[in-house]
Amino acid sequence: MKKVLVVGGGASGMMAAGTAAQKGHIVHLYEKNDRLGKKIYITGKGRCNITNDSDIDTHLENIPGNPYFMYSAFYMLDSQKTKAFFDALGLKTKTERGNRVFPVSEKAGDVVRALEKYLKKNGVVIHTNSAVKQILTQNQCVKGIRLENGKEIQADDVVICTGGLSYAGTGSTGDGYKMAKDLGHTVTKLYPSLVALKTKENWCRQLMGLSLKNCAIAVKNEKGKNIYKDFGEMLFTHFGVSGPMILTASRHIVKQLQKQSYTIEIDLKPALEEKALDARILRDFQKYSNKNFSNALDDLLPQKLIPVIIDLAGISPIKKVHDITKQERQSLIKQMKHLTVTVCGTAGFQEAVITCGGVCVDEINPSTMESKIIKGLYFAGEILDVDAYTGGFNLQIAFSTGYTAGESIE
């Protein structure tokens, strides 16, 4: 039996603490907030996308950042075992589009309560409003922690689960990165990921709140090469673009965004080739032949988008439809198939779902999550340099690494 201290009461921290306690260890969990799981409450728009109901290979394919590191952890706890884990705690789940798993109740708070139940059941001692300042070591071995108030607590093992830099209001303020660096660990460059993108075009502001479904995007670099393509949903904001497709696209460009610019081409009618779209437009034009051009696009585009497309196409909004030339029609098609925005930045860590970068995984044993530098020191969750796309994949990383760390403490 060992005394184990877990720093951080998020998804990975609660899983690590409960698992270590279940093995019979004396476990204390330290959280600087006044409650546990603060970030969980806001995941999945308050519904909490627990995991993705897919096989291990699919999870690995959805991790652009160091997927190889997750092999062992996923075999210790995969999505099926995660669902069974929550089911045993009385939390029923359901699988939605894209194999995304949510609580049947659609309440993220129920996920937190299930994890708290797990901690209580296994006797974990919870310390809220308790910020940890330093990890204590001696001869490259963990000795305990020092709290912000100066108090020192001795321990055999310490698990750091302090999260990243995203959503600082939930307590993710990068504390763990400093602790790791102070102990000799490398922390790779940190970027906001799964984040809304800022654009140069002012017309995005006119479209604020407009959600597009069943559209396609192509992200291109300065040379015009496609970096990423997707089909699905996106959203215009007062500063640029957001929504599921954009968040995933951001992961492909955040590391290079300061060095080069990117454009995003939006295809508003991906189901129609240009020739077929032209035929469709001609049919609509025949129907509205005597109307002004601005009143002839209601069947083709959302109302809010019409003035922007007309302006970009360079066609007078009061021109009669029967006077529209073939050249002007081609300009309209170009805007509908290649509506282009120029990315000039991200919404930053405050809006990012996840942090890209973290504690270098080459310095951590992937089978145990133990540091290769400090004996008895473990890492789990977003603090690691491992990140995934949206869809429940990041929470699964948190649960799997937390479980592996807790299970590996002997």
Side-chain angles (χ1 to χ4, degrees):
M1 184 189 291
K2 285 183 169 183
K3 186 176 181 181
V4 180
L5 308 182
V6 178
V7 185
S12 60
M14 285 192 276
M15 182 63 87
T19 306
Q22 197 169 30
K23 292 192 72 181
H25 299 304
I26 297 165
V27 182
H28 289 252
L29 174 59
Y30 291 84
E31 168 56 51
K32 69 178 183 181
N33 288 316
D34 58 359
R35 58 177 173 164
L36 302 179
K38 208 167 177 183
K39 191 174 179 182
I40 294 175
Y41 280 99
I42 61 171
T43 60
K45 294 178 181 174
R47 297 171 63 219
C48 189
N49 186 181
I50 297 168
T51 185
N52 192 281
D53 193 0
S54 52
D55 59 23
I56 289 172
D57 286 343
T58 301
H59 278 261
L60 294 170
E61 285 163 12
N62 278 276
I63 300 175
N66 299 318
Y68 66 90
F69 180 76
M70 290 302 301
Y71 276 104
S72 297
F74 281 159
Y75 278 101
M76 291 275 276
L77 185 82
D78 62 8
S79 61
Q80 298 309 307
K81 288 176 185 171
T82 301
K83 284 171 63 184
F85 167 81
F86 281 108
D87 187 63
L89 291 168
L91 184 80
K92 301 300 177 188
T93 60
K94 60 178 178 177
T95 303
E96 296 185 0
R97 184 171 53 86
N99 293 324
R100 296 168 188 241
V101 178
F102 292 90
V104 169
S105 67
E106 301 202 340
K107 291 177 182 174
D110 289 346
V111 178
V112 177
R113 282 183 281 277
L115 288 164
E116 286 175 330
K117 181 179 176 181
Y118 181 53
L119 298 177
K120 190 175 179 182
K121 176 183 163 188
N122 291 297
V124 175
V125 182
I126 298 165
H127 305 265
T128 52
N129 296 307
S130 301
V132 175
K133 190 168 180 70
Q134 187 183 359
I135 308 300
L136 304 174
T137 62
Q138 189 178 347
N139 300 324
Q140 300 301 102
C141 293
V142 154
K143 286 297 167 189
I145 61 172
R146 179 179 289 118
L147 299 179
E148 213 164 53
N149 63 12
K151 185 180 178 183
E152 294 186 0
I153 299 105
Q154 302 300 307
D156 300 298
D157 296 89
V158 172
V159 191
I160 302 180
C161 308
T162 49
L165 283 172
S166 56
Y167 292 127
T170 64
S172 299
T173 50
D175 307 355
Y177 298 131
K178 185 181 183 307
M179 293 176 200
K181 281 182 184 176
D182 289 346
L183 296 170
H185 273 280
T186 305
V187 175
T188 63
K189 192 165 180 184
L190 307 168
Y191 303 89
S193 189
L194 304 186
V195 64
L197 299 172
K198 294 180 178 179
T199 61
K200 287 182 180 175
E201 289 73 19
N202 290 327
W203 51 259
C204 285
R205 183 181 289 272
Q206 290 174 243
L207 302 176
M208 182 174 65
L210 176 65
S211 178
L212 298 178
K213 294 182 179 179
N214 302 319
C215 65
I217 62 167
V219 182
K220 298 176 183 283
N221 64 13
E222 290 171 349
K223 295 177 181 176
K225 182 184 175 186
N226 280 336
I227 300 298
Y228 177 73
K229 285 186 170 185
D230 203 356
F231 172 86
E233 295 179 35
M234 64 167 287
L235 173 75
F236 289 100
T237 71
H238 66 286
F239 55 77
V241 287
S242 186
M245 280 198 299
I246 300 298
L247 297 187
T248 301
S250 74
R251 178 57 178 81
H252 294 264
I253 65 175
V254 288
K255 289 187 176 183
Q256 299 298 321
L257 204 46
Q258 290 179 332
K259 298 174 188 172
Q260 65 169 298
S261 63
Y262 294 88
T263 56
I264 300 175
E265 280 189 9
I266 305 163
D267 185 348
L268 300 169
K269 298 290 177 185
L272 296 174
E273 294 293 332
E274 291 196 7
K275 194 174 178 182
L277 179 57
D278 191 26
R280 165 71 199 276
I281 290 169
L282 280 169
R283 286 199 302 274
D284 280 16
F285 279 10
Q286 212 167 6
K287 182 177 171 185
Y288 300 114
S289 62
N290 293 316
K291 288 196 170 189
N292 288 344
F293 178 50
S294 61
N295 297 323
L297 299 175
D298 288 358
D299 297 348
L300 276 169
L301 297 167
Q303 191 65 43
K304 211 170 188 177
L305 192 54
I306 292 172
V308 171
I309 294 292
I310 288 175
D311 184 50
L312 293 171
I315 306 167
S316 169
I318 59 171
K319 190 169 187 176
K320 295 298 179 187
V321 170
H322 56 70
D323 290 330
I324 300 288
T325 66
K326 183 180 179 182
Q327 189 178 3
E328 286 173 325
R329 212 170 63 241
Q330 289 305 311
S331 180
L332 174 62
I333 290 167
K334 183 187 174 187
Q335 293 305 325
M336 290 176 69
K337 295 291 286 182
H338 305 278
L339 181 62
T340 303
V341 293
T342 310
V343 180
C344 62
T346 75
F349 283 109
Q350 199 53 46
E351 298 289 327
V353 174
I354 203 82
T355 304
C356 170
V359 176
C360 179
V361 294
D362 293 341
E363 300 166 357
I364 297 163
N365 184 335
S367 300
T368 63
M369 298 297 139
E370 186 176 14
S371 164
K372 293 177 182 178
I373 297 171
I374 306 292
K375 186 169 173 51
L377 178 68
Y378 297 77
F379 293 93
E382 196 179 339
I383 190 172
L384 296 165
D385 184 12
V386 183
D387 62 288
Y389 300 131
T390 57
F393 300 107
N394 284 295
L395 262 181
Q396 186 59 57
I397 290 171
F399 291 136
S400 295
T401 54
Y403 179 84
T404 301
E407 186 65 30
S408 300
I409 296 170
E410 296 294 345

